[in-house]
């Protein structure tokens, strides 16, 4: 694993703000306009004003949401709302949540991670990125000169040895605690023991790190570092040589990846008969049931099968669910259509859906971006709404009539992330959704 270091985190002084729950925020990419407004109202020092400052009338090049975020950061530091920790530390971070009727805790720790270009070290991306979010995050980073929220990295550790050492150090200590809008409980402990920090860093040094979430933030941090280096040589310990990272063992029992189902609107209606005809020799297909509300039971059957090559489709024209299972001919066609990719990549459910079904068989390469949701209950809810407005996983408004087609698709696994990443490939966008999301505002890493 690349170099991790302790650092002096900038954190809220609870004597100023009261409850930590009132001032932290989810990361920018899952905040809807409604949640953004609610967070603005919750507390005058809520971190939303930094992480996702809202546009205002009259914004221009010199006064805008990025410059306002920078002013808030400066003001809150001057007022003591945010204070710099006295000593470099690692920050143990737990998230306790409910999944499929079970209470789970995902454990990890925050550190600063030395930046490496992809392909030149042991940091691996696993998903494609988009230019828009990177430009947005770069402007914010340049204005605030800080990592306001962390990337999420996974490292192999079969015995969870690194995390267990940190757990022993915090045993019996009272954590800082916050609850997010989805009821997830977030707990934070500060570990400043120099020897323990050195031991954890040494234990992880030989291991790779896979970016689970925060690809845009990582690539933005690289760009920011490079822009600074153009102005003059950067010392190896300059904070811009690093990025704030939450590090989690790939073997942690609380690690959960949710599916990302697709709902398509703004496309030509299609019946189940026509869909099955189009899938043809590349899939074994069968009609399963009628009714959008059956999405949860259809999904349960897919989960039990646990097969990336199985996809369930809903066609609104006849209110019908179709089950499709890839055939050997389908695998051969995927090998032809995605010859530049490995068998592991070609075997992903999302790859099969988009490359073979949508782009090739349904000729939908130019279809509007689908709505992305993470539970079958949400799929049923949006299908019932018909022509009403929906929002995707980033809070983006999605309009354009009813959802004509929906696809339930298995999520990629941690093994997929490791195998495909180490082959130098990236999965299609929205292949994984690591739940729950990390909070922004627990710790800030300053870049000056």
């Amino acid at each position: 694993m690349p170099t991790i270091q302790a650092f002096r985190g900038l954190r809220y002084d609870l004597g100023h703000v009261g409850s930590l729950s009132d001032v932290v925020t989810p990361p920018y990419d899952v905040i809807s306009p409604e949640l953004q407004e609610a967070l603005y109202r919750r507390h005058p020092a809520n971190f939303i004003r930094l992480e996702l400052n809202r546009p205002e009338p009259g914004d221009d090049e010199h006064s805008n949401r990025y410059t306002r975020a920078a002013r808030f950061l400066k003001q809150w530091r001057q007022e003591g709302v945010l204070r710099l920790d006295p000593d470099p530390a690692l920050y143990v971070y737990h998230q306790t949540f409910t999944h499929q009727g079970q209470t789970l805790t995902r454990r990890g720790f925050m550190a600063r991670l030395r930046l490496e270009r992809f392909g030149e070290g042991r940091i691996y991306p696993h998903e494609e990125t988009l230019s828009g979010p990177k430009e947005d995050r770069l402007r914010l980073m340049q204005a605030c000169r800080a990592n306001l929220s962390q990337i999420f990295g996974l490292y192999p550790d079969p015995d969870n040895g690194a995390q267990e050492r940190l757990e022993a150090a915090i045993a019996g200590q009272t954590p800082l605690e916050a609850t997010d809008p989805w009821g997830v409980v977030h707990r934070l402990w500060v570990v400043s023991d120099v020897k323990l920090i050195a031991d954890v860093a040494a234990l992880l040094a030989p291991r790779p790190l896979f970016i689970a979430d925060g690809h845009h933030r990582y690539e933005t941090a690289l760009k920011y570092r490079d822009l600074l280096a153009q102005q003059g040589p950067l010392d190896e310990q300059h904070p811009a040589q690093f990025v704030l990272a939450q590090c989690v063992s790939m073997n942690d029992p609380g690690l959960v990846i949710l599916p990302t189902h697709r709902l398509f609107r703004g496309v030509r209606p299609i019946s189940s008969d026509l869909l099955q005809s189009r899938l043809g020799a590349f899939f074994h297909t069968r009609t399963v049931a009628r009714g959008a509300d059956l999405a949860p039971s259809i999904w349960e059957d897919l989960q039990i099968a646990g097969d990336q090559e199985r996809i369930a489709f809903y066609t609104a024209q006849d209110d019908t669910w179709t089950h499709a299972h890839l055939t050997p001919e389908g695998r051969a066609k995927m090998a032809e259509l995605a010859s530049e990719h490995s068998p592991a990549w070609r075997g992903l459910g999302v790859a099969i859906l988009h490359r073979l079904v949508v782009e090739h068989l349904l000729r939908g390469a130019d279809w509007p971006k689908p709505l992305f949701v993470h539970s079958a209950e949400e799929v049923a809810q949006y299908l019932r709404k018909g022509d009403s407005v929906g929002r995707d996983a980033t809070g983006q408004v999605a309009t354009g009539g009813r959802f004509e087609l929906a696809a339930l698709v298995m999520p990629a696994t941690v093994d997929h992330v490791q195998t495909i990443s180490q082959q130098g490939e990236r999965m299609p966008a929205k292949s994984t959704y690591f739940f729950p999301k990390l909070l922004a505002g627990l710790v800030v890493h300053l870049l000056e």
Side-chain angles (χ1 to χ4, degrees):
M1 184 171 169
T3 302
I4 59 167
Q5 290 185 356
F7 67 101
R8 295 176 64 196
L10 184 69
R11 298 189 294 124
Y12 278 105
D13 182 343
L14 298 189
H16 275 265
V17 301
S19 170
L20 190 60
S21 297
D22 288 339
V23 290
V24 290
T25 177
Y28 75 100
D29 56 350
V30 296
I31 299 175
S32 67
E34 292 84 0
L35 179 55
Q36 183 186 39
E37 183 61 31
L39 293 169
Y40 260 84
R41 294 195 302 266
R42 180 168 295 174
H43 195 284
N46 189 281
F47 205 75
I48 190 68
R49 291 170 174 82
L50 305 185
E51 176 75 357
L52 191 63
N53 195 284
R54 61 189 175 193
E56 300 288 356
D59 277 356
D60 57 28
E61 182 182 350
H62 304 289
S63 180
N64 51 58
R65 59 197 186 100
Y66 306 109
T67 61
R68 278 191 295 277
R71 286 198 298 272
F72 276 119
L73 179 59
K74 181 179 180 180
Q75 175 187 335
W76 293 349
R77 292 187 66 186
Q78 290 174 340
E79 295 174 349
V81 173
L82 293 171
R83 293 185 180 275
L84 200 61
D85 281 336
D87 300 307
L90 300 181
Y91 298 86
V92 177
Y93 179 15
H94 290 185
Q95 296 166 280
T96 300
F97 58 101
T98 300
H99 177 63
Q100 296 182 343
Q102 289 186 299
T103 298
L104 301 174
T105 296
R106 189 175 68 196
R107 309 174 307 165
F109 66 92
M110 276 186 268
R112 69 178 194 175
L113 173 72
R114 183 175 292 281
L115 291 164
E116 296 178 353
R117 296 191 192 284
F118 297 141
E120 296 181 1
R122 295 176 65 81
I123 297 177
Y124 298 90
H126 88 272
E127 277 190 345
E128 296 290 348
T129 56
L130 303 171
S131 59
K134 286 188 285 189
E135 176 62 26
D136 167 61
R137 292 297 98 179
L138 179 60
R139 293 186 65 184
L140 183 61
M141 191 177 293
Q142 289 173 318
C144 294
R145 299 192 293 277
N147 297 139
L148 299 176
S149 55
Q150 61 278 71
I151 71 162
F152 180 9
L154 297 173
Y155 62 91
D157 189 2
D159 299 323
N160 294 319
Q163 188 67 36
E164 292 301 338
R165 293 190 183 199
L166 293 168
E167 297 299 315
I170 64 172
Q173 296 184 22
T174 302
L176 298 172
E177 186 171 303
T179 302
D180 71 21
W182 297 278
V184 178
V185 178
H186 303 255
R187 297 184 175 93
L188 189 77
W189 294 261
V190 181
V191 175
S192 56
D193 182 278
V194 175
K195 184 179 184 306
L196 176 58
I197 292 169
D199 287 346
V200 170
L203 187 62
L204 298 185
R207 305 169 195 252
L209 183 115
F210 304 92
I211 299 177
D213 202 359
H215 291 79
H216 294 98
R217 277 161 280 186
Y218 187 89
E219 293 186 23
T220 297
L222 283 170
K223 178 70 171 178
Y224 180 83
R225 181 195 66 180
D226 292 347
L227 289 173
L228 283 187
Q230 291 174 11
Q231 302 171 18
L234 283 184
D235 183 271
E236 283 299 303
Q237 294 304 313
H238 190 287
Q241 300 276 15
F242 300 84
V243 67
L244 178 61
Q246 166 79 351
C247 304
V248 175
S249 167
M250 300 175 81
N251 305 92
D252 187 82
L255 191 61
V256 170
I257 304 179
L258 297 184
T260 304
H261 306 306
R262 272 72 167 159
L263 293 93
F264 298 89
R265 71 196 319 171
V267 303
R268 183 173 298 177
I270 184 172
S271 68
S272 57
D273 286 343
L274 179 57
L275 174 67
Q276 293 184 40
S277 174
R278 292 279 182 87
L279 298 183
F282 301 126
F283 289 87
H284 293 302
T285 61
R286 60 184 174 87
T287 300
V288 180
R290 292 173 58 87
D293 285 340
L294 292 177
S297 62
I298 302 295
W299 172 240
E300 185 176 356
D301 290 342
L302 282 182
Q303 281 187 300
I304 291 172
D307 187 347
Q308 291 282 324
E309 296 183 341
R310 296 175 187 266
I311 302 172
F313 294 96
Y314 172 82
T315 46
Q317 189 175 60
D318 52 9
D319 192 29
T320 298
W321 287 96
T322 295
H323 180 274
H325 188 195
L326 195 70
T327 63
E329 292 80 6
R331 291 187 206 104
K333 192 64 178 178
M334 269 298 289
E336 175 190 329
L337 294 172
S339 59
E340 73 278 18
H341 288 293
S342 67
W345 189 97
R346 298 195 296 263
L348 288 172
V350 290
I352 295 167
L353 171 64
H354 285 281
R355 185 65 66 92
L356 177 56
V357 177
V358 172
E359 295 178 14
H360 181 68
L361 299 177
L362 300 183
R363 304 178 184 90
D366 59 349
W367 281 4
K369 185 181 74 171
L371 187 75
F372 302 106
V373 297
H374 304 295
S375 74
E377 288 76 16
E378 287 178 290
V379 171
Q381 174 189 349
Y382 281 117
L383 291 177
R384 284 197 303 269
K385 285 182 177 180
D387 292 341
S388 62
V389 173
R391 296 186 184 276
D392 68 10
T394 70
Q396 178 69 40
V397 175
T399 60
R402 73 179 181 182
F403 294 103
E404 296 294 346
L405 181 69
L408 304 182
V409 59
M410 291 294 293
T413 66
V414 170
D415 287 341
H416 288 125
V417 171
Q418 181 168 1
T419 299
I420 293 172
S421 298
Q422 287 187 312
Q423 293 174 160
E425 296 180 291
R426 296 201 193 192
M427 297 179 186
K430 306 296 183 183
S431 294
T432 57
Y433 186 89
F434 288 86
F435 181 81
K437 286 285 189 174
L438 304 171
L439 282 182
L442 291 174
V443 184
V444 171
H445 175 236
L446 297 176
L447 297 176
E448 35 178 13

